[in-house]
Amino acid sequence: MTDKKNKTDKLDNLAACDQLNQLSMAILVHAGNARAHLVASLEALEALTFQDAQAQLADAKKEVVIAHGLQTDTLQMEASGNQIRYSTLFCHAQDTLMTAQSEILIGEHMVRLFQNLAENKIQKNTLESKEG
């Protein structure tokens, strides 16, 4: 009986590990997609194509929402009493997600800043041409 219970416990543990690994990889994929969209947004910003930059940021945010939802589901399981084992992969996934969220926040500010600067330059040039 004890051997059967030990085997069942090991199988349950392996299944839980596999499930957490799959979840971690899904978070990493979506957080990675978010960062790729952010890079595309910054490249569009460098080219002063503000609509493209904003569209890429919107796509990045959608990816973060998906990744964050996956992370939240896991944290809620633990909060409800289902102990989640420590996982370096899950920790890395959370770190990648947090980094992507921070980068997107900065990217949003940069797009607005550069757009405002460009609009102010256009207004200044328009005024100078009317005066000159």
Side-chain angles (χ1 to χ4, degrees):
M1 191 74 117
T2 304
D3 283 343
K4 187 175 182 180
K5 182 171 176 10
N6 285 340
K7 286 180 184 177
T8 301
D9 288 347
K10 286 181 183 179
L11 288 175
D12 288 345
N13 190 34
L14 285 174
C17 290
D18 187 49
Q19 184 179 11
L20 185 59
N21 286 344
Q22 288 178 14
L23 178 78
S24 299
M25 291 304 297
I27 292 169
L28 281 167
V29 165
H30 290 289
N33 289 345
R35 292 183 83 190
H37 284 295
L38 174 69
V39 169
S41 174
L42 294 175
E43 289 169 350
L45 182 58
E46 289 172 359
L48 301 177
T49 54
F50 300 116
Q51 286 183 329
D52 291 344
Q54 290 171 342
Q56 288 293 337
L57 277 174
D59 289 341
K61 289 168 72 173
K62 288 176 188 173
E63 290 288 340
V64 162
V65 167
I66 294 168
H68 191 264
L70 293 168
Q71 173 190 299
T72 300
D73 291 347
T74 303
L75 298 176
Q76 286 176 342
M77 282 192 311
E78 188 158 354
S80 68
N82 297 329
Q83 185 63 36
I84 306 294
R85 69 172 177 84
Y86 175 79
S87 165
T88 304
L89 186 60
F90 185 66
C91 184
H92 174 60
Q94 289 180 300
D95 182 53
T96 303
L97 174 57
M98 180 187 69
T99 301
Q101 288 174 304
S102 296
E103 291 172 340
I104 289 168
L105 177 66
I106 292 169
E108 289 174 324
H109 286 279
M110 288 180 66
V111 168
R112 284 193 301 270
L113 174 67
F114 278 81
Q115 195 166 11
N116 287 338
L117 288 172
E119 288 170 4
N120 288 338
K121 184 177 181 178
I122 290 169
Q123 288 173 356
K124 182 180 175 187
N125 290 343
T126 303
L127 287 174
E128 287 175 355
S129 68
K130 286 182 181 180
E131 291 173 354

